[in-house]
Amino acid sequence: GRGRGPSRRTDFQVVITNLPPSASWQDLKDHMRKAGDVTFSEVYRDGDNMRGEVDFANANDMEYAIDKLDDTEFRNPFASAFIRIKAASG
């Protein structure tokens, strides 16, 4: 592992774009938890911003995240940004 808590990949994956450069996987997990049970969270450098991947425990939580958290404000102590969320396979 990479110093993370237990995480597991599922088929219910979303991709998050337009995260601020200071976004961490913990920040992202906390934000996405509003939609339900997050089983995996990771962030990657994507040009000037960050992109994220989050897996949910079930399809309902994934669909809720896409429906309710897309184009919402992501905040951490350093920055805020309106993020975009879509299904990873879409």
Side-chain angles (χ1 to χ4, degrees), residues 33-70:
R33 237 189 230 130
K34 296 172 190 167
D37 186 6
V38 174
T39 65
F40 175 87
S41 175
E42 185 62 283
V43 292
Y44 307 91
R45 172 85 41 208
D46 183 23
D48 290 335
N49 290 317
M50 298 291 275
R51 63 185 279 137
E53 289 179 9
V54 166
D55 293 12
F56 287 99
N58 60 69
N60 284 343
D61 293 351
M62 178 189 83
E63 287 160 10
Y64 185 93
I66 294 166
D67 191 39
K68 302 293 187 193
L69 297 180
D70 180 41

Side-chain angles (χ1 to χ4, degrees), residues 6-35:
S7 67
R8 94 193 134 82
R9 303 306 308 252
T10 69
D11 293 331
F12 312 113
Q13 301 168 6
V14 295
V15 175
I16 301 95
T17 52
N18 204 43
L19 287 162
S22 57
S24 71
W25 69 269
Q26 294 102 322
D27 296 332
L28 182 59
K29 185 171 188 173
D30 288 346
H31 185 81
M32 299 303 284
R33 237 189 230 130
K34 296 172 190 167

Side-chain angles (χ1 to χ4, degrees), residues 74-90:
F74 168 93
R75 276 198 174 96
N76 68 15
F78 314 103
S80 68
F82 281 86
I83 57 172
R84 300 311 310 250
I85 301 170
K86 62 184 175 71
S89 55

